[in-house]
Amino acid sequence: MAQVVVLGGGYAGLASLISLAKKMPALQLHLIDANPEHCKITNLHKTFARQVADFKLPYTQLAERFGFTFHQHRLQIDNHSLNRWQQQKKIPLGDSELDFDWLIISTGAAALVPPRGRQVYGLEHLMAGRGPDLLEEWRTRAESQRLDLSFVGGGATGLQILFELKALLRQQKIDAGLRLIDMNSRTLPMMPEGAHRYVVRKLRRENIIYLPQTEYLEQTDTSIKLRECGSDREYQLDSAATLLFAGVKRAPISLPTNPFGQIELEGNLLPDIFSAGDCSDYAGNGLNQLTAQAAVRKGKLVAHNIVNLYAGRRLRPYRYQEKGYLMSLGPIDAVGWVGLHCNLARGFPANILKEAMESQYDLFLDGVDTYLGFP
Ligand SMILES: Cc1cc2nc3c(=O)[nH]c(=O)nc-3n(C[C@H](O)[C@H](O)[C@H](O)COP(=O)(O)OP(=O)(O)OC[C@H]3O[C@@H](n4cnc5c(N)ncnc54)[C@H](O)[C@@H]3O)c2cc1C
């Protein structure tokens, strides 16, 4: 029986596995992931108030539900090893090897600027469940001295975390000064201008200082060092901690991928190695952004094409177009667009829609696929 190995069990990898399990129950399916649990990353901004365990699912549980074999292992990936794996049709797994008919690489993305040094925190700290401890530390500090917290990054991730934390600090009566630092001249560059204006109004209302066109240099024990982009002037401000969300990049390497999902290295097609999710850079005009929405669709397309290859049918190109994008701005607010770019959604109704999208993914992991009409 044919064997498919998926490397990376995030949104894309699980979308492939679940789709393959449903379409071809006789396939032998394997998942390799560095971690023991799947993390629903799109909820990480909620983990100052809630335990990160609420957003993690053991792979062993998913393996039982969908009938695949799970191996916890971190694999090194580079162009040389990809070529070798294609030739040999096997990948190393600790002391042994795993044969494959098709391999799917879906290893996600990594921080563009990793959080380094004391008092600097990023996604890796939230994923490790540090949120509630940090909140407690800041509460204690605010009781005896002034507390200033710096956020770096005016993209969707940074803003979701900033407004979630702001609401929590207010609710728990923790007195803190927050500031948002961003190299760009506006927030949310991929979203309509109206979304940026909505965010700026909210920043003002919430007394959050906004420093656009400003570069983060470093955080020391008590202050943050910044540089103004236009003038190159460097200066320092009081800061107890920096929360660094300056964007992500495809990881561990960017995988050039043809419109059918197969990896193509320097013009050399690897016909049996597919990629999906944030790590993949698809040719063609389908949605190629580093979002969960694209990751799930690429994962499903790759599964569809593997089934087609098995059945001797033609491959289908990736043409998925974005249907909208919503991001939360605290527990009862959100902003984004739905259907058309000019169709701005905001406030509580947008928040409900955003939560509905999270529920859609939860249902998918329960085995109910409501991502209808694709591929
Ligand atoms: C706070 C936050 C909020 C977000 N909100 C949204 C949102 O509202 N909407 C949206 O569309 N997107 C959102 N995103 C983006 C979204 O989370 C990503 O686009 C999505 O997770 C990408 O899925 P993926 O499967 O490519 O990678 P991931 O979900 O990151 O999964 C990659 C997997 O690969 C494993 N792995 C990596 N390297 C190796 C290796 N070498 N060996 C073995 N295993 C490995 C990892 O352990 C991980 O399980 C958000 C991101 C963040 C951080």
Side-chain angles (χ1 to χ4, degrees):
M1 182 38 69
Q3 181 145 292
V4 178
V5 176
V6 176
L7 175 56
Y11 289 73
L14 286 185
S16 294
L17 274 171
I18 293 172
S19 305
L20 284 169
K22 287 191 166 177
K23 283 172 193 253
M24 282 187 64
L27 274 180
Q28 300 260 0
L29 297 173
H30 292 263
L31 169 66
I32 303 173
D33 199 287
N35 294 306
E37 292 148 328
H38 169 64
C39 180
K40 293 186 242 172
I41 299 178
T42 57
N43 290 285
L44 276 182
H45 55 285
K46 299 173 186 163
T47 60
F48 284 101
R50 290 173 60 181
Q51 296 298 323
V52 74
D54 291 354
F55 305 107
K56 287 188 173 178
L57 254 173
Y59 285 122
T60 46
Q61 200 175 315
L62 289 163
E64 207 171 301
R65 191 175 300 161
F66 296 105
F68 60 83
T69 308
F70 171 60
H71 313 264
Q72 189 179 352
H73 186 70
R74 179 175 290 280
L75 256 172
Q76 300 301 323
I77 304 169
D78 54 32
N79 286 5
H80 181 69
S81 39
L82 286 170
N83 279 313
R84 196 178 61 247
W85 297 346
Q86 171 62 56
Q87 262 171 22
Q88 301 178 344
K89 303 272 297 240
K90 53 179 69 165
I91 53 170
L93 192 61
D95 294 336
S96 59
E97 289 178 320
L98 196 55
D99 294 327
F100 65 82
D101 292 281
W102 293 287
L103 171 66
I104 301 170
I105 301 193
S106 44
T107 44
L112 260 179
V113 185
R116 294 284 168 260
R118 279 160 50 83
Q119 319 294 0
V120 187
Y121 305 101
L123 284 177
E124 61 195 60
H125 298 93
L126 296 187
M127 250 186 228
R130 294 283 310 278
D133 290 347
L134 287 173
L135 187 67
E136 200 45 47
E137 190 182 313
W138 295 330
R139 179 206 312 283
T140 311
R141 188 184 170 111
E143 278 165 9
S144 59
Q145 54 190 300
R146 197 185 145 73
L147 175 69
D148 291 291
L149 298 174
S150 308
F151 283 76
V152 178
T157 301
L159 289 175
Q160 294 197 109
I161 294 169
L162 168 65
F163 286 115
E164 195 75 22
L165 189 62
K166 174 71 191 177
L168 201 59
L169 291 166
R170 188 178 44 239
Q171 189 196 10
Q172 301 198 4
K173 300 191 170 47
I174 301 173
D175 189 15
L178 302 191
R179 69 173 70 94
L180 172 67
I181 295 143
D182 193 16
M183 290 263 282
N184 282 324
S185 53
R186 58 159 283 194
T187 63
L188 302 171
M190 307 303 281
M191 291 252 242
E193 174 77 25
H196 162 67
R197 285 199 298 271
Y198 188 77
V199 165
V200 170
R201 278 200 300 274
K202 187 170 171 98
L203 288 168
R204 215 173 292 139
R205 252 194 342 266
E206 304 263 9
N207 285 323
I208 299 170
I209 296 167
Y210 175 38
L211 302 172
Q213 293 184 287
T214 302
E215 186 182 359
Y216 162 77
L217 296 178
E218 66 169 329
Q219 162 79 42
T220 66
D221 272 354
T222 54
S223 67
I224 187 170
K225 195 168 166 190
L226 303 172
R227 182 192 286 139
E228 265 176 13
C229 290
S231 65
D232 275 353
R233 180 178 75 94
E234 289 184 12
Y235 61 101
Q236 294 197 4
L237 297 171
D238 287 347
S239 176
T242 290
L243 291 106
L244 187 55
F245 304 104
V248 292
K249 60 175 185 208
R250 304 178 198 280
I253 51 173
S254 173
L255 295 171
T257 303
N258 72 14
F260 307 112
Q262 294 154 308
I263 295 179
E264 222 174 275
L265 293 177
E266 292 151 1
N268 180 27
L269 178 71
L270 309 185
D272 305 312
I273 307 188
F274 288 77
S275 87
D278 283 358
C279 63
S280 61
D281 185 6
Y282 271 50
N285 64 358
L287 178 68
N288 197 29
Q289 283 177 16
L290 279 62
T291 65
Q293 185 177 173
V296 168
R297 271 46 177 226
K298 286 177 176 176
K300 290 188 74 173
L301 175 99
V302 162
H304 183 84
N305 278 341
I306 288 176
V307 173
N308 277 7
L309 277 178
Y310 189 77
R313 290 194 294 261
R314 279 156 46 125
L315 299 186
R316 185 177 291 197
Y318 176 69
R319 292 209 182 100
Y320 178 75
Q321 294 302 314
E322 201 171 25
K323 303 281 185 293
Y325 188 89
L326 289 159
M327 48 166 285
S328 90
L329 299 174
I332 53 163
D333 196 4
V335 71
W337 62 277
V338 185
L340 296 170
H341 240 244
C342 58
N343 194 10
L344 201 67
R346 66 210 117 174
F348 190 53
N351 190 277
I352 302 255
L353 272 179
K354 163 84 174 121
E355 285 306 310
M357 283 159 67
E358 295 301 338
S359 307
Q360 189 182 24
Y361 185 64
D362 288 340
L363 273 177
F364 186 64
L365 295 185
D366 283 342
V368 183
D369 184 356
T370 58
Y371 296 108
L372 300 174
F374 185 85

